Amino acid sequence: MPLIEMYERPGFLLRRAHQISAAIFESSCAELSLTQAQYGALTVVSSEPGIDQTRLAKALAFDKVTVLRVVRGLEERGLIAREVSTTSRRHMAVRLTPAGGRLLKKSEVSVHEAYNRLMAPLNATQREQFIALLQQLTDGLGEEARAAFVPLARPTSGR
């Protein structure tokens, strides 16, 4: 009984779902050498060129160490550039390079494919319910998270 109960706990199922999501994404984007974290960072930086690393971390719900690791990796690949912010010398502004913009554009089909593979077991109604329930859970318990989440703009709809 305790084992069955563990396998039915939300935390176990969410962790397992995240493992599956990451595996599907990385498989779909393997030829681009793109992870979910990198894609997220490129997407946010594309949406707000010159964003500082602190706001980038919050927009992705990453801690400062994680966002720094992701940003450095993208910078080493020539996909983003960092410079001292014009508004505060203590902040680094992050921008996409032309290569970063091309990779982000090239990733659209693979990212869409990953989303469809992840959601394939659910019908359209279940997909909407699933996203709504995850949103309700994360909105309702966001204060419990280890990293703050401050979205740049609230999405108006799912995929």
Side-chain angles (χ1 to χ4, degrees):
M1 273 311 219
L3 186 59
I4 292 170
E5 288 175 11
M6 183 194 75
Y7 289 152
E8 293 175 351
R9 291 194 183 273
F12 179 86
L13 293 169
L14 286 168
R15 182 182 59 78
R16 185 72 180 133
H18 175 72
Q19 289 174 330
I20 293 165
S21 174
I24 288 172
F25 187 96
E26 290 177 16
S27 171
S28 293
C29 295
E31 70 180 46
L32 303 172
S33 297
L34 194 63
T35 67
Q36 287 176 313
Q38 293 168 338
Y39 173 76
L42 291 172
T43 301
V44 170
V45 172
S46 174
S47 296
E48 188 158 325
I51 188 171
D52 68 73
Q53 288 179 191
T54 300
R55 286 190 60 229
L56 177 59
K58 290 178 181 179
L60 294 166
F62 287 169
D63 59 58
K64 289 181 181 182
V65 172
T66 301
V67 82
L68 181 59
R69 182 178 44 83
V70 171
V71 164
R72 281 185 179 160
L74 292 171
E75 187 177 37
E76 288 170 6
R77 291 177 61 189
L79 302 173
I80 62 166
R82 292 187 298 165
E83 57 194 23
V84 176
S85 172
T86 57
T87 59
S88 171
R89 297 183 56 87
R90 296 185 314 152
H91 291 110
M92 294 297 286
V94 183
R95 297 185 192 286
L96 280 183
T97 64
R102 287 190 300 273
L103 180 66
L104 189 58
K105 180 73 174 156
K106 187 175 181 181
S107 72
E108 289 176 5
V109 171
S110 298
V111 169
H112 189 68
E113 174 189 299
Y115 176 85
N116 286 334
R117 282 177 51 202
L118 179 64
M119 300 301 272
L122 307 176
N123 66 37
T125 301
Q126 291 170 325
R127 288 178 183 200
E128 288 180 23
Q129 291 171 334
F130 180 65
I131 296 299
L133 288 170
L134 286 174
Q135 194 66 60
Q136 184 177 350
L137 183 75
T138 57
D139 287 349
L141 297 173
E143 297 297 318
E144 303 290 328
R146 292 181 181 158
F149 175 55
V150 181
L152 298 180
R154 185 64 165 196
T156 56
S157 67
R159 301 236 173 213

